[in-house]
Amino acid sequence: QSTWGTWFALAIMSTSSHRFARNVDAIAFAPSDNSVAIVTSNLTGEYWDGEIQVLSSDLKMAKHSLPCHASMTDVAWGQGKDKLLVGASDDGQIYLWNAAQNELTGSLNDHDDAVHCVAISSAQPSLLLSGSADCSIKLWSLTSESSHAQKTFSSHSDIVYDVDWIDANEQTF
């Protein structure tokens, strides 16, 4: 993410109450174009409802909005022409959208509590990490037909709020 991207994110967050009238919870920049996914939520009665707004980088054109039935906590873009968008949710699921077609294509549901973060490997775009309030990190294959994680790392003693790939080959997190 560039310095421009950082300033852009700060501008969105600082004006979020005027532009969105909702909480801005996460922002992700598409790797292949100038699209931006902005995760917002709003308390409606006793429940949070979430939404992912996909905008052009100039914020003037809303490409589309992806409604969610739970509060979304994080978002990550996949690579490739299918415009995969992955969203972490308070309902313990990870939602998968085809952002180009504006459609929900599936969900991953192996966590026992709210999912706080997601990260897609840039070196191996079929691999996804997620972290949760169930104190686990899960490794997923986005090409698998299964909605369950390939591997679970549950040695954490507290909630996992962030995950990322760290080494040059993107095989370590």
Side-chain angles (χ1 to χ4, degrees):
Q1 184 175 336
S2 67
T3 302
W4 175 87
T6 302
W7 285 109
F8 180 74
L10 290 172
I12 290 172
M13 286 187 202
S14 67
T15 61
S16 65
S17 61
H18 304 293
R19 170 110 174 117
F20 299 105
R22 299 169 62 89
N23 294 327
V24 175
D25 301 310
I27 297 172
F29 298 90
S32 59
D33 66 13
N34 291 328
S35 296
V36 179
I38 302 171
V39 175
T40 64
S41 60
N42 189 34
L43 184 61
T44 55
E46 295 181 24
Y47 302 99
W48 287 92
D49 71 328
E51 181 177 58
I52 298 177
Q53 298 180 17
V54 179
L55 306 173
S56 61
S57 62
D58 61 7
L59 289 180
K60 293 181 181 174
M61 182 182 78
K63 292 185 174 183
H64 50 267
S65 182
L66 307 168
C68 312
H69 300 292
S71 178
M72 302 304 291
T73 54
D74 197 15
V75 65
W77 287 97
Q79 297 180 355
K81 63 180 188 280
D82 61 351
K83 300 296 284 181
L84 174 68
L85 196 56
V86 177
S89 175
D90 273 353
D91 68 2
Q93 296 195 61
I94 299 166
Y95 293 96
L96 309 173
W97 287 274
N98 179 325
Q101 301 296 320
N102 195 26
E103 70 178 343
L104 181 67
T105 59
S107 64
L108 306 172
N109 53 12
D110 214 11
H111 280 291
D112 295 326
D113 207 335
V115 181
H116 289 294
C117 50
V118 289
I120 297 174
S121 169
S122 60
Q124 296 179 9
S126 65
L127 296 181
L128 171 73
L129 289 175
S130 62
S132 170
D134 66 9
C135 303
S136 73
I137 294 174
K138 294 190 182 276
L139 175 67
W140 309 82
S141 170
L142 295 173
T143 57
S144 171
E145 296 291 322
S146 174
S147 65
H148 298 286
Q150 285 188 329
K151 190 163 187 173
T152 299
F153 304 91
S154 55
S155 59
H156 295 85
S157 60
D158 206 352
I159 295 171
V160 179
Y161 287 105
D162 196 17
V163 293
D164 206 353
W165 299 90
I166 59 171
D167 76 356
N169 295 322
E170 299 266 346
Q171 296 175 354
T172 305
F173 56 93

